[in-house]
Amino acid sequence: MSDVIFALASAKGRAGVAVLRLSGRGAVALIEEYVGTGLTTPDRSLRKFKSGGELIDEVLILTFAKGASFTGEEVVEIHCHGSTAVVSALLRILGDHPNARMAEPGEFTRKALENGCLDLVQVEGLADLIDAETEAQRKLASNVMTGALSDKVNGWRRDLIRAVSLIEATIDFADEDIPTDVSPEVLTLIDNVTRDLESEIKGSFAAERIRDGFEVAIVGKPNVGKSTLLNALAGREAAITSEIAGTTRDVIEVRMDINGLAVTLLDTAGIRETDNQIEKLGVGLARQRAEAADLRVFLTENGEIEGLKMTPLVDDIVAIGKSDISASSEGLKISGKSGQGIDKLIEIIDSSLSNKAAFAQTATRERHRIGMEQALHSLNTGRALVLDGPEVSEIAAAELHQGIASLNGVIGKVDVEDLLDEIFASFCLGK
Ligand SMILES: Nc1nc2c(ncn2[C@@H]2O[C@H](COP(=O)(O)OP(=O)(O)OP(=O)(O)O)[C@@H](O)[C@H]2O)c(=O)[nH]1
């Protein structure tokens, strides 16, 4: 098995500069075979990269010492000219070296995790940061990557370990008749962690939406102008529009960035009673997707929503469509055709989603939430046992241990091999 892994770390394709990365014991010595000796760690020097006496490119070499790199191993970065030919030549030459092999997707990050440079939550944050398309996604991901959630989880663990050790001290020294009652301090510790966990769990739903995008569904009767509105909001012809009622059958999805929030707009089939089997399926799907969405825009002829068999929820928006030809004077008037009211609609969607997003804290994934919910459950049980008195101290301590174990799972302090394969499978090469 080769000691040194390598990969193109920057994107494929023509660019000013491309970056290749090598990691592993002997990476510096290996690269010296091509650029000449005398590299130190850390180092930054401009070198000629040669193979078999032939000049390939003039490159910038950066070296990082073991323990002071992203992976925790000896690392070399080659900044070369970003042409397909240069990159291919370098990859081919490195691939021919007996001690080097191409990295698997995410393998550099996997090494960082294995060497303790990042914990599991930070790895997820990093993956999200690489995938981030909007400002809100970037903020959330960079927080998680730099350890905001890990720090919280570690703080809770510390408090619970303290609570357990207090309880266990009373068990171990029960015969010595310790006079102090530890339960007030234990309860305070449990209550503080419980409060934090509850607010973090509440915020995780919003954070998940920021990460995956909020869904906003446009619903209404056939022909009210839903597809035309979607196209106006998206700024392109994403959905087919026509004067024939029942044109849209499937759910059309368009990704948008609304003021830093990732949003998936859904155009759905017009809702009506119909004997057409295909349209019927479309109507069923429309209701289902609209009900599951984070927000609904009810597009109507005159502000009335009867016949849709759906009731708007608190933040949902009811608008009057085709305002350019509508006689209605009340309400939010919108025309996908003339553009009237579109900015106002975006503003309302933005404010409503921003309110939802404001709950977000740092936990971003269902996995985090499940771990925190399990921990919370153990704390609730443990708290009740502490109140039951010293006779059940051992069970109380065991419950708190269980709570700590659940938190350990969140930051990957336990056996998480299955999880790792799943997480790293989604990484791009060179990261
Ligand atoms: N005057 C005017 N006509 C519009 C407006 N929006 C849509 N229309 C017209 O109304 C007809 C239906 O528009 P669509 O956007 O396809 O309506 P829809 O609600 O998606 O229809 P279904 O797919 O049947 O549910 C088309 O002929 C559009 O050109 C508008 O704001 N003003």
Side-chain angles (χ1 to χ4, degrees), residues 147-411:
L149 179 57
S150 316
D151 290 350
K152 281 188 195 173
V153 174
N154 279 315
W156 301 329
R157 290 179 66 247
R158 261 196 308 277
D159 282 358
L160 295 182
I161 289 167
R162 162 111 187 119
V164 170
S165 59
L166 284 169
I167 299 173
E168 284 176 348
T170 64
I171 302 169
D172 295 343
F173 300 106
D175 298 344
E176 294 171 24
D177 197 20
I178 296 182
T180 47
D181 178 8
V182 298
S183 60
E185 186 178 352
V186 170
L187 289 175
T188 306
L189 287 164
I190 293 178
D191 289 346
N192 288 345
V193 176
T194 299
R195 196 195 51 231
D196 285 1
L197 277 172
E198 280 170 348
S199 106
E200 194 64 52
I201 288 168
K202 190 169 170 220
S204 69
F205 292 95
E208 257 182 72
R209 305 319 309 145
I210 292 178
R211 202 173 82 82
D212 300 336
F214 286 90
E215 279 191 357
V216 177
I218 306 173
V219 278
K221 289 185 185 161
N223 233 9
V224 290
K226 297 180 297 301
S227 302
T228 308
L229 173 61
L230 177 96
N231 291 344
L233 287 166
R236 65 187 171 89
E237 299 295 306
I240 298 172
T241 64
S242 88
E243 67 284 359
I244 302 164
T247 300
T248 305
R249 301 283 169 96
D250 270 334
V251 177
I252 314 275
E253 303 189 7
V254 174
R255 289 284 278 187
M256 282 183 74
D257 178 339
I258 298 187
N259 223 352
L261 291 176
V263 174
T264 304
L265 272 181
L266 308 178
D267 177 23
T268 59
I271 294 176
R272 66 171 169 185
E273 293 298 331
T274 169
D275 291 332
N276 181 315
Q277 286 308 311
I278 297 172
E279 191 180 349
K280 218 176 209 161
L281 289 174
V283 171
L285 195 61
R287 278 215 184 86
Q288 202 184 340
R289 289 294 298 272
E291 277 165 3
D294 298 290
L295 189 69
R296 283 142 294 276
V297 177
F298 286 83
L299 195 59
T300 67
E301 281 166 22
N302 50 14
E304 301 293 332
I305 55 155
E306 85 278 9
L308 297 182
K309 290 195 189 147
M310 284 177 72
T311 322
L313 301 179
V314 182
D315 290 329
D316 287 352
I317 302 163
V318 179
I320 296 157
K322 303 192 186 179
S323 63
D324 51 319
I325 53 167
S326 155
S328 272
S329 54
E330 299 290 306
L332 174 65
K333 298 178 70 181
I334 285 175
S335 168
K337 213 164 207 173
S338 75
Q340 188 194 358
I342 299 291
D343 287 349
K344 181 74 190 158
L345 178 63
I346 292 181
E347 208 176 287
I348 299 172
I349 294 174
D350 176 19
S351 120
S352 165
L353 296 183
S354 298
N355 285 342
K356 293 180 200 287
F359 284 105
Q361 302 209 14
T362 30
T364 46
R365 293 183 186 229
E366 192 183 14
R367 189 183 76 74
H368 305 157
R369 184 168 60 247
I370 291 172
M372 292 190 299
E373 281 169 348
Q374 286 168 346
L376 188 61
H377 178 75
S378 301
L379 293 201
N380 287 338
T381 315
R383 186 182 200 282
L385 288 165
V386 170
L387 288 174
D388 282 346
E391 302 75 42
V392 288
S393 285
E394 285 188 40
I395 323 176
E399 265 310 325
L400 296 187
H401 270 300
Q402 189 55 47
I404 295 168
S406 301
L407 294 178
N408 285 345
V410 174
I411 47 176

Side-chain angles (χ1 to χ4, degrees), residues 93-108:
I93 292 162
L94 292 174
D96 286 343
H97 195 288
N99 293 336
R101 70 167 168 85
M102 185 79 108
E104 307 281 337
E107 194 172 359
F108 287 90

